[in-house]
Structures are given as C-alpha cells and as structure tokens.
C-alpha cells in the first residue's frame, strides 16, 4: 500500500496545477475536484499548495464568499504554467512507458 500512497503524492501537484490552470480555485474546491478522480485526504493538498506558492508556481489572493469568511484562491504564475506543461509532457511519457511495459509483459505471458 505504500506504493499507492507514493503514486498519489507524486501526482497530486500535477493534478492541482492542471485544475488551477483551468481556473483559479480555493483549497476545498480543489480537494473536491481531485477526489472525484483520485481518493486523497484533503489534508494532503495544503502542503502541496504551500510548496507551489513557495516555489513561485502559484500566487494567492483572497476573495469574499457569500458562505462565510473570504476564501484563499490559488492562481498559476507564468512560471507555474511553464512548469505544469513540462510535468504534463513528462507524465505522458511516463504513463506511455509504463503502459508499454505492462502490455509487453502481458504478451510475453500469453506467448509462454
């Protein structure tokens, strides 16, 4: 199970960037969007967001909410968008490589 947790941790930043690139979002909203596709604890998201801000990939701003206190929204910086594009390219290469390896292994098992 440790591997599954590591998969999720490794891809969480990419998921966040892709969603924020679509439109600025606040933390809870991001957690809800990601949870539709990947089971992840909401608490795992905030360290990723803090790191993205510290690395200059994201900025934040407060926006008034009709449902309580102002919300902190996250927005990709130009550097963040460039970094996200690099990550997407690498992710696609990685997934393709893993898929190819798995398919070759499955073919080898059938041929044996």
């Amino acid at each position: 199970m440790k591997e599954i947790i590591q998969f999720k941790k490794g891809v969480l930043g990419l998921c966040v960037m892709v969603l924020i690139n679509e439109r600025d979002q606040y933390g809870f909203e991001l957690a809800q969007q990601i949870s539709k596709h990947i089971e992840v604890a909401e608490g795992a998201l905030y360290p990723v967001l803090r790191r993205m801000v510290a690395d200059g990939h994201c900025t934040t701003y407060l926006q008034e909410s009709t449902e309580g206190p102002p919300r902190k929204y996250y927005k990709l910086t130009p550097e963040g968008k460039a970094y996200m594009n690099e990550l997407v390219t690498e992710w696609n290469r990685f997934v393709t490589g893993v898929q190819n390896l798995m398919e070759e292994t499955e073919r080898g098992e059938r041929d044996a």
Side-chain angles (χ1 to χ4, degrees), residues 15-96:
C15 293
V16 167
M17 288 181 152
V18 166
L19 288 170
I20 294 173
N21 187 54
E22 186 178 292
R23 66 179 171 79
D24 299 356
Q25 296 190 45
Y26 59 97
F28 182 70
E29 183 179 27
L30 284 164
Q32 288 180 315
Q33 292 292 321
I34 291 169
S35 292
K36 289 179 184 177
H37 305 279
I38 302 168
E39 186 179 328
V40 64
E42 184 183 338
L45 185 64
Y46 292 99
V48 171
L49 290 166
R50 281 192 295 275
R51 187 186 75 239
M52 289 172 58
V53 171
D55 290 347
H57 295 142
C58 248
T59 59
T60 63
Y61 62 91
L62 292 177
Q63 185 167 321
E64 291 297 323
S65 169
T66 57
E67 301 171 8
R71 293 178 173 152
K72 183 189 284 188
Y73 278 78
Y74 294 85
K75 177 181 181 72
L76 280 184
T77 62
E79 295 82 9
K81 286 184 182 188
Y83 185 61
M84 179 203 68
N85 288 331
E86 288 177 41
L87 288 177
V88 167
T89 298
E90 284 303 312
W91 174 255
N92 288 330
R93 282 187 196 140
F94 178 76
V95 169
T96 299

Side-chain angles (χ1 to χ4, degrees), residues 101-112:
L101 180 132
M102 293 171 76
E103 289 171 2
E104 284 178 17
T105 302
E106 288 172 4
R107 280 194 301 269
E109 288 176 1
R110 284 187 295 231
D111 295 341

